[in-house]
Amino acid sequence: MNSENRDAPLIIGVDNGFGNTKTRNCCFPTGVLSYDREPTFKRNLLVYGGRYYLIGEGHKEFSPEKALDNDHYVLTLAAVARELDIRGLTSARVHLAAGLPLTWVTEQKDAFRNYLLQNPAADFTFRGAEYHVEFEGAEILPQGFAAVADKLKDFEGINLLADIGHGTMNVMYIIDRCPRQDRCFTEKYGTNQCALAVRENLMRLCHATVDESAIEKTFRTGSAEISERYLTVIRDTATEYVEGIFRKLREREYDPESMRLYVVGGGACLVKNFGRYEPDRVTIQEDICATAKGYEYLAELKTRRNGGAV
């Protein structure tokens, strides 16, 4: 096995979403299928603790707590392996940088840190390569905010940050570059609510179901290789969902004339493709890996403040 520099652990950011798991360089569906025996198809197979896990298969249901089962832990192992593979490593000391929704961090960060650090080291196989990872620690940070942390100098005046994920939409005010913890809100209005409405409307109006991949592609790009009739239903439903986003923001006192809006997270593409807004007053962060990159940025800042200690 290769070995990393022993002077300091690698800081690897992992954005454990319920739709996708993201790192600085990778994004894959948040799904895990577990088997007692080796499955037939094993392109993204992870073997750990005597069990076989197909990564990116199935669907992870939204839950207000990420540590209720072992899925996010296994997904984190896969995420770390993908980042190590990019670096040409199979053995490393790793400091994880992960996060939770803005209003959940205070209450859940200790439990989530303990969950990620449940084992001091992990030996596993992913995509046919053997990995040995020693976990040196974990930083639990506010998601959403992490996606813009390195751009705070641009947040003059009154700014509203909307992080639209799979299960929730998290809202934070940032005033004159200062995040306001007393003005953070979490709404259960993530992109999954839009997907559920799409499937319901397709069945009601077209008496049909459409593969989830076509729905997701329409969300991302505005189109897909399906009939115009199906596309119209998806687009109309997505437009209604985005109107709902702006309605909920107005309920949180969003005023486009007096403040700027920054939209991040997987739902940013929906706002871009189906929303009505003033482009010079709204910034859309299209990089789905921005939050994972922000976790690393914030963890590295803390390291520098501590004189090199993570």
Side-chain angles (χ1 to χ4, degrees), residues 110-289:
D110 290 339
F112 192 46
R113 182 188 295 110
N114 292 337
Y115 170 82
L116 293 175
L117 299 178
Q118 59 186 268
N119 299 304
D123 293 285
F124 60 96
T125 301
F126 183 58
R127 291 179 168 177
E130 295 182 3
Y131 290 90
H132 172 76
V133 178
E134 298 174 12
F135 293 107
E136 299 287 316
E139 196 73 26
I140 308 301
L141 301 154
Q143 71 183 51
F145 171 71
V148 300
D150 63 338
K151 303 176 182 65
L152 278 185
K153 65 180 187 302
D154 300 328
F155 282 67
E156 295 184 358
I158 306 171
N159 304 271
L160 191 63
L161 173 67
D163 174 23
I164 306 170
H166 180 75
T168 61
M169 177 174 71
N170 292 277
V171 179
M172 168 186 272
Y173 277 85
I174 301 175
I175 300 177
D176 288 329
R177 298 181 292 277
C178 295
R180 292 288 300 271
Q181 187 169 344
D182 61 331
R183 300 190 70 181
C184 294
F185 313 96
T186 297
E187 302 272 2
K188 191 178 180 182
Y189 201 67
T191 58
N192 188 50
Q193 279 69 43
C194 184
L196 291 173
V198 164
R199 287 193 283 271
E200 180 180 343
N201 287 339
L202 283 169
M203 181 58 67
R204 180 172 59 85
L205 298 172
C206 304
H207 309 292
T209 60
V210 173
D211 190 83
E212 187 173 312
S213 62
I215 297 173
E216 291 181 355
K217 185 175 182 181
T218 307
F219 286 176
R220 291 195 314 271
T221 68
S223 187
E225 295 300 319
I226 54 178
S227 75
E228 191 63 32
R229 186 164 69 111
Y230 291 175
L231 276 174
T232 297
V233 173
I234 298 173
R235 289 167 176 162
D236 289 348
T237 305
T239 298
E240 292 177 7
Y241 167 74
V242 174
E243 289 174 353
I245 287 174
F246 281 96
R247 182 172 60 253
K248 288 184 177 295
L249 292 178
R250 288 192 297 271
E251 291 171 358
R252 299 299 184 181
E253 302 182 351
Y254 169 57
D255 174 11
E257 294 190 54
S258 65
M259 61 186 70
R260 294 186 59 84
L261 175 65
Y262 289 76
V263 185
V264 303
C269 61
L270 281 161
V271 176
K272 177 187 176 184
N273 294 325
F274 304 103
R276 288 180 290 183
Y277 55 87
E278 293 293 333
D280 61 334
R281 303 292 299 167
V282 177
T283 300
I284 307 292
Q285 172 57 269
E286 298 185 62
D287 182 1
I288 198 170
C289 296

Side-chain angles (χ1 to χ4, degrees), residues 5-6 28 34 49 57 84 86 90 103 140 146 170 182 198 218 224 228 255 298 301:
N5 187 325
R6 301 298 298 183
F28 56 91
S34 177
E57 302 290 334
L84 292 183
I86 290 171
T90 55
T103 58
I140 308 301
N170 292 277
D182 61 331
V198 164
T218 307
E228 191 63 32
D255 174 11
L298 290 170
L301 277 184

Side-chain angles (χ1 to χ4, degrees), residues 25-73:
N25 298 293
C26 304
C27 174
F28 56 91
T30 297
V32 182
L33 294 180
S34 177
Y35 299 89
D36 294 323
R37 298 180 179 180
E38 183 173 280
T40 302
F41 300 103
K42 46 196 174 187
R43 180 183 171 207
N44 292 306
L45 181 66
L46 187 146
V47 184
Y48 173 68
R51 292 193 64 78
Y52 300 86
Y53 301 92
L54 281 180
I55 303 300
E57 302 290 334
H59 299 278
K60 182 67 179 167
E61 293 184 7
F62 172 77
S63 169
E65 294 185 36
K66 295 183 178 182
L68 293 179
D69 57 36
N70 211 41
D71 287 356
H72 281 295
Y73 183 77

